[in-house]
């Protein structure tokens, strides 16, 4: 039998609401647009973010967690490196810059920014984030630069625009929202000081993910057994090969017999957490 769609509290205010809307950096709350389609001319401009209202999207960053258990993701070894290719700075990728990378004696296989792009999108799109239970997202590049992405950031959904934004971020050190009326631009994305551990709550369980871990577990059972008082820190690699081996990780686990993409591993993790938190 079909399900009655009238919902208590009626969240669905806008019938035309779209979840894959092409919006570059914006706050998931007060919607902000940023001008960057990845084109060369725009990469050289300052990022301009203007306010625009999207019906159905709340006007403030979602923070419904209060004292509830929260989630932090750390993506390690992300391939996010900018270099001057021809006249312009670009995010290096094996697809676009194979000849340039070979010429500069770099292994094209190491340049896979699409892995971080997909992983970040999967985290920000998750119900964990939509429900306000994502506390932080940190991305560490292979060059050791540490990025903070605010959970209410809405990143460009196309790779081309994402790469333009990363060029801007890695050069300018932050992306600020302007035009939100309060005069204080919020830094939605920024480079922050290492080490990442200084941003992790002391009362948290720090879990690393690797296919090569001998501890093969069912993710749903695993998170179900973690003390509800502890925040959950999930550490994954955002590189194409090799494995992560970080000192601050307390437990390394494998969640499948198969090697997975970072994005797919993240969706298994977020699904398990959503079940634990009873988020539908
Ligand atoms: C593209 S994979 C990296 C490839 C690497 N050879 C490996 O298997 O770890 C990206 C990340 O996804 C996670 N991952 C992939 N398969 C996994 C598995 N079966 N169990 C746990 N984590 C996994 C790991 O954090 C890994 O660093």
């Amino acid at each position: 039998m079909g399900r009655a769609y009238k919902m208590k509290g009626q969240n669905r205010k806008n019938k035309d609401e779209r979840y894959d809307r092409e919006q570059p950096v914006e706050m998931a709350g007060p919607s902000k647009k940023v001008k960057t389609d990845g084109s060369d001319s725009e990469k050289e401009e300052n990022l301009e973010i203007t306010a625009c209202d999207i019906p159905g999207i709340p006007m403030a960053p979602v923070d419904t967690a209060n004292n509830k258990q929260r989630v932090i993701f750390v993506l390690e070894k992300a391939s996010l490196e900018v270099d001057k290719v021809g006249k312009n700075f670009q995010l290096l990728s094996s697809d676009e810059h194979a000849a340039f990378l070979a010429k500069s004696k770099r292994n094209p296989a190491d340049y896979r920014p699409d892995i971080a792009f997909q992983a970040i999108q999967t985290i920000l799109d998750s119900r964990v984030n939509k429900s306000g239970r994502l506390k932080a997202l940190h991305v560490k590049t292979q060059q050791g630069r540490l990025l903070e992405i605010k959970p209410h950031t809405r990143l460009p959904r196309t790779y081309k625009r994402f790469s333009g934004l990363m060029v801007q971020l890695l050069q300018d050190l932050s992306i600020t929202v302007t035009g939100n009326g309060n005069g204080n631009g919020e830094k939605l994305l920024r480079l922050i000081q290492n080490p990442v551990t200084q941003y992790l709550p002391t009362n948290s369980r720090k879990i690393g993910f690797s296919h090569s871990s001998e501890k093969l577990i069912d993710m749903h059972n695993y998170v179900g057994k973690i003390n509800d008082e502890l925040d959950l820190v999930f550490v994954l690699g955002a590189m194409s090969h090799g494995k992560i081996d970080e000192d601050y990780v307390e437990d390394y686990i494998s969640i499948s017999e198969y090697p997975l993409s970072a994005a797919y591993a993240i969706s298994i993790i977020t699904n398990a957490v959503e079940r634990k938190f009873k988020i539908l």
Side-chain angles (χ1 to χ4, degrees), residues 103-166:
K103 207 170 147 194
S104 51
K105 299 203 175 3
R106 286 183 269 193
N107 180 3
D110 293 338
Y111 291 82
R112 293 286 311 280
D114 54 298
I115 296 176
F117 171 57
Q118 289 173 5
I120 294 167
Q121 289 285 20
T122 307
I123 294 166
L124 295 179
D125 280 348
S126 70
R127 290 171 292 177
V128 170
N129 187 27
K130 288 173 194 269
S131 64
R133 303 286 284 266
L134 180 69
K135 189 182 173 82
L137 166 54
H138 299 293
V139 181
K140 181 125 180 229
T141 72
Q142 278 169 2
Q143 285 67 44
R145 304 178 86 186
L146 184 60
L147 319 182
E148 177 195 43
I149 300 175
K150 293 274 170 66
H152 51 281
T153 305
R154 197 172 280 204
L155 283 186
R157 300 205 70 87
T158 66
Y159 173 75
K160 194 177 172 199
R161 295 165 86 160
F162 169 81
S163 70
L165 187 74
M166 286 299 118

Side-chain angles (χ1 to χ4, degrees), residues 9-153:
Q10 210 47 283
N11 286 331
R12 299 184 184 186
K13 293 185 185 121
N14 181 0
K15 273 196 291 184
D16 300 327
E17 203 168 25
R18 282 184 50 194
Y19 299 97
D20 60 348
R21 193 190 292 268
E22 267 311 313
Q23 301 276 358
V25 176
E26 10 173 273
M27 298 173 68
S31 172
K32 307 289 173 194
K33 278 205 281 190
V34 65
K35 207 165 109 187
T36 171
D37 66 1
S39 68
D40 291 342
S41 57
E42 287 198 356
K43 272 179 213 157
E44 283 160 18
E45 286 175 12
N46 277 337
L47 218 57
E48 181 190 310
I49 304 177
T50 53
C52 78
D53 289 342
I54 296 179
I57 294 183
M59 287 303 288
V62 183
D63 188 0
T64 54
N66 299 322
N67 291 327
K68 292 180 188 163
Q69 190 172 27
R70 298 233 265 177
V71 169
I72 294 160
F73 274 94
V74 183
L75 299 176
E76 292 280 351
K77 298 188 178 173
S79 166
L80 296 172
E81 186 178 342
V82 170
D83 206 341
K84 198 167 188 186
V85 186
K87 287 186 184 160
N88 300 307
F89 284 95
Q90 296 187 20
L91 187 65
L92 296 177
S93 87
S94 55
D95 278 347
E96 292 173 277
H97 310 112
F100 173 84
L101 292 167
K103 207 170 147 194
S104 51
K105 299 203 175 3
R106 286 183 269 193
N107 180 3
D110 293 338
Y111 291 82
R112 293 286 311 280
D114 54 298
I115 296 176
F117 171 57
Q118 289 173 5
I120 294 167
Q121 289 285 20
T122 307
I123 294 166
L124 295 179
D125 280 348
S126 70
R127 290 171 292 177
V128 170
N129 187 27
K130 288 173 194 269
S131 64
R133 303 286 284 266
L134 180 69
K135 189 182 173 82
L137 166 54
H138 299 293
V139 181
K140 181 125 180 229
T141 72
Q142 278 169 2
Q143 285 67 44
R145 304 178 86 186
L146 184 60
L147 319 182
E148 177 195 43
I149 300 175
K150 293 274 170 66
H152 51 281
T153 305

Side-chain angles (χ1 to χ4, degrees), residues 76 112 115 208-213 215-216 235-244 252-266 268-269:
E76 292 280 351
R112 293 286 311 280
I115 296 176
F209 292 82
S210 175
H211 175 236
S212 56
S213 166
K215 192 168 169 186
L216 177 61
V235 185
L236 296 99
M239 67 295 183
S240 58
H241 52 85
K243 60 176 183 173
I244 52 164
Y252 273 101
I253 57 173
S254 174
I255 52 174
S256 168
E257 290 176 44
Y258 306 102
L260 308 171
S261 67
Y264 193 75
I266 288 163
I268 291 177
I269 297 164

